[in-house]
Amino acid sequence: MSWKTLEMECRRCTGCPLHATRTNVVFGVGNTESPIMFIGEGPGEKEDLQGEPFVGRAGKLLDDMLSLIDLDRTNIYIANMVKCRPPGNRDPLPLERQACSGWLDRQIELINPKFIVCLGRIAAMRFMGEDFKITLDHGKWYDVQGRKVMALFHPAALLRDPRRRPDTFEDLKRIQAALKEAEK
Ligand code: URA
Ligand code: SF4
C-alpha cells in the first residue's frame, strides 16, 4: 500500500469508538524518508482541531527539545499510537490502542526507520512490553525487530515536573550520537 492510500484510508477510519467524537484524524507529520520516528500517545484538543500531532503546549516543548539536537518536523516523522482524540484527553484505552495499531504498524513499515523514539510510557509499552518503567528505562536503546527503540519522558510530563528535564537532555544527546553514528 502506498503512503497516500494509507493516509486516505486512515482518514476515513471508523475502527473504534473514538471516530465518533473526533474533529480530525491526526495521521502524522514530517519526513517519510527519515531514519527516525517519534511516537506519542494520542491527539489532544489542539491536535484534534488542527489535524496535526503535538501542536499544543507539550508540542511546543517537543519542538524545543528537538531543536537542541538539530531535529525538526522536516527531518523526522511524528505520529501517535491512536489517531483520534480520546475525549477529555484521557489515556487511550487498550481496545482503542489495539484497534488503531495497524495504522501505526503500516506507517512504520513504509518509513522503515532505523530509530524509534517513544514519547512516554504508553507508547514505550507497545515496543518494550507492559513492564516498561519510564522512570528507570528512559534513555536506553532496545533492539526491537531490527530497530533501535528508546523512550523519553513525555513532554507533558516534563511540563508537570521540570526536574526530569536534565535526564531528558542526556537522552536527547544519546539520540543525536546514534544518528551521527548511523550516518557514517
Ligand atoms: N500528546 C501526544 O501524545 N500526542 C500529541 O499529538 C499531542 C500531545
Ligand atoms: Fe480508527 Fe484509530 Fe481513529 Fe479508532 S483512533 S477510529 S482505530 S483511526
Side-chain angles (χ1 to χ4, degrees):
M1 192 190 276
S2 75
W3 188 265
K4 259 209 167 126
T5 316
L6 181 68
E7 178 162 0
M8 257 172 41
E9 305 242 314
C10 183
R11 290 194 182 284
R12 307 195 299 239
C13 177
T14 55
C16 85
L18 295 182
H19 84 271
T21 46
R22 75 183 174 219
T23 312
N24 285 295
V25 169
V26 180
F27 183 67
V29 70
N31 188 335
T32 57
E33 310 277 301
S34 177
I36 183 164
M37 245 180 115
F38 284 70
I39 301 175
E41 246 172 73
E45 184 182 18
K46 286 229 165 66
E47 291 78 21
D48 174 63
L49 290 173
Q50 295 183 38
E52 184 170 329
F54 287 100
V55 290
R57 263 183 85 219
K60 176 78 186 60
L61 178 57
L62 177 62
D63 285 334
D64 291 345
M65 287 159 56
L66 292 170
S67 75
L68 292 172
I69 54 169
D70 304 317
L71 298 178
D72 59 42
R73 289 169 195 241
T74 69
N75 56 22
I76 66 170
Y77 197 84
I78 310 179
N80 280 310
M81 305 260 300
V82 298
K83 312 303 190 199
C84 307
R85 181 194 181 202
N89 295 351
R90 61 163 170 76
D91 287 350
L93 302 173
L95 175 130
E96 294 155 358
R97 304 201 305 254
Q98 191 55 40
C100 209
S101 65
W103 298 119
L104 182 60
D105 285 342
R106 273 171 262 171
Q107 286 176 310
I108 294 171
E109 245 171 66
L110 287 172
I111 295 175
N112 194 20
K114 275 202 177 70
F115 304 100
I116 293 178
V117 178
C118 302
L119 298 166
R121 185 182 62 93
I122 303 276
M125 278 170 25
R126 180 181 195 276
F127 295 91
M128 275 79 98
E130 301 279 317
D131 292 336
F132 188 83
K133 301 273 183 298
I134 190 81
T135 44
L136 288 175
D137 301 328
H138 68 86
K140 297 181 187 162
W141 287 116
Y142 290 77
D143 283 304
V144 184
Q145 292 168 349
R147 304 180 208 284
K148 299 275 183 207
V149 185
M150 178 195 286
L152 298 179
F153 288 117
H154 193 287
L158 297 175
L159 287 173
R160 283 194 301 271
D161 187 358
R163 287 169 304 179
R164 291 175 160 179
R165 288 188 192 202
D167 274 1
T168 300
F169 184 67
E170 295 303 317
D171 298 348
L172 287 165
K173 288 288 180 190
R174 305 187 65 183
I175 294 168
Q176 186 178 42
L179 282 168
K180 275 227 177 82
E181 185 63 30
E183 264 174 22
K184 283 184 189 160

